Amino acid sequence: MLLVNGDWDTSTPIENMLQIAPYFPRGRVLIVHRAVHEQLTRMTRHHPEVFDAILEFYRSGATAKLPAEISLPAPTFVTPAFPPPARR
């Protein structure tokens, strides 16, 4: 079993994964820093080698290339095209 969780996930806090992980002695944990819920596409784009390692883990159980944690780049935010609200 592979448990993957983003540390910015507000739907399923990372603490949930860390609490249940000990009950799966042959399981693996992958913490994705700067990831929210369902970030597989973003993770795959920035770390294709990790996605390949996940597929290999599912196929054979091999864990040699499966990291315990990775980081995604910080998101960029676009400044809105409208002015901020006026102060009262």
Side-chain angles (χ1 to χ4, degrees):
M1 169 175 286
L2 176 64
L3 301 166
V4 180
N5 212 137
D7 62 358
W8 287 2
D9 186 346
T10 58
S11 298
T12 309
I14 197 168
E15 291 80 11
N16 292 8
M17 177 184 68
L18 297 175
Q19 287 176 352
I20 66 168
Y23 295 98
F24 300 94
R26 294 183 55 200
R28 294 292 302 245
V29 167
L30 173 56
I31 297 171
V32 185
H33 298 286
R34 295 190 197 104
V36 296
H37 202 73
E38 298 183 17
Q39 285 292 304
L40 185 60
T41 302
R42 193 165 169 240
M43 183 181 77
T44 302
R45 184 176 342 117
H46 292 286
H47 293 283
E49 73 286 356
V50 174
F51 186 69
D52 292 341
I54 291 170
L55 293 178
E56 183 59 31
F57 173 73
Y58 287 152
R59 281 188 212 110
S60 68
T63 60
K65 295 181 182 177
L66 194 60
E69 45 188 301
I70 60 171
S71 293
L72 295 178
T76 56
F77 298 97
V78 177
T79 304
F82 53 86
R87 292 186 178 217
R88 294 182 197 201

